[in-house]
Amino acid sequence: AKQQKRVLVIDMHGGLSQLESWDPKPGTNTGGPFRAISTSVPGMQICELLPLTAKVMHHLAIVRSVNTKENDHGKGHYMMHTGRPQVPGASYPHFGSLAAKMLAPENRPLPGYIHITPG
């Protein structure tokens, strides 16, 4: 069987802080209010609120270096999902569409990408 790959993006507007989830910044003045715990990946820590996730961390990847340098949250959100700045009159595919095209088989019974927006 060929190796399956998946991309799951959880983008929660107003959701929990990175300090209370994936990047607790232990031992710093700017760290979160919770402890950092070790994961199944040596040297990687996440927040104590995610103990079950910590056990399967070797199956996941965390990207902690993303920064759009965009002060407008709406424009930054668009850039995070498309890799491009928002330009009037132009529309770019979200990276979920690109991942589905590259990773999913042509004869898939379900859509390779679903984007659910509020409202």
Side-chain angles (χ1 to χ4, degrees):
K2 82 176 192 181
Q3 188 170 348
Q4 299 294 311
K5 295 183 189 273
R6 305 279 188 276
V7 177
L8 173 63
V9 177
I10 302 171
D11 181 10
M12 301 185 305
H13 292 267
L16 73 159
S17 162
Q18 76 273 10
L19 300 175
E20 297 163 354
S21 57
W22 311 109
D23 194 13
K25 299 188 186 324
T28 67
N29 291 335
T30 58
F34 299 99
R35 271 186 328 113
I37 59 172
S38 295
T39 68
S40 61
V41 176
M44 180 172 285
Q45 295 184 320
I46 61 175
C47 181
E48 67 180 321
L49 300 177
L50 302 170
L52 299 178
T53 303
K55 291 178 183 178
V56 296
M57 199 66 230
H58 59 283
H59 293 293
L60 306 173
I62 296 176
V63 179
R64 293 178 171 160
S65 60
V66 177
N67 184 338
T68 66
K69 296 187 169 94
E70 176 61 64
N71 292 327
D72 180 311
H73 283 187
K75 290 180 180 178
H77 181 262
Y78 184 86
M79 188 179 283
M80 292 291 294
H81 284 270
T82 65
R84 298 172 183 259
Q86 195 169 17
V87 178
S91 181
Y92 300 103
H94 284 217
F95 68 83
S97 299
L98 299 172
K101 181 163 180 60
M102 301 304 291
L103 297 174
E106 290 292 326
N107 59 350
R108 62 184 177 255
L110 296 173
Y113 173 64
I114 300 170
H115 183 182
I116 301 171
T117 59

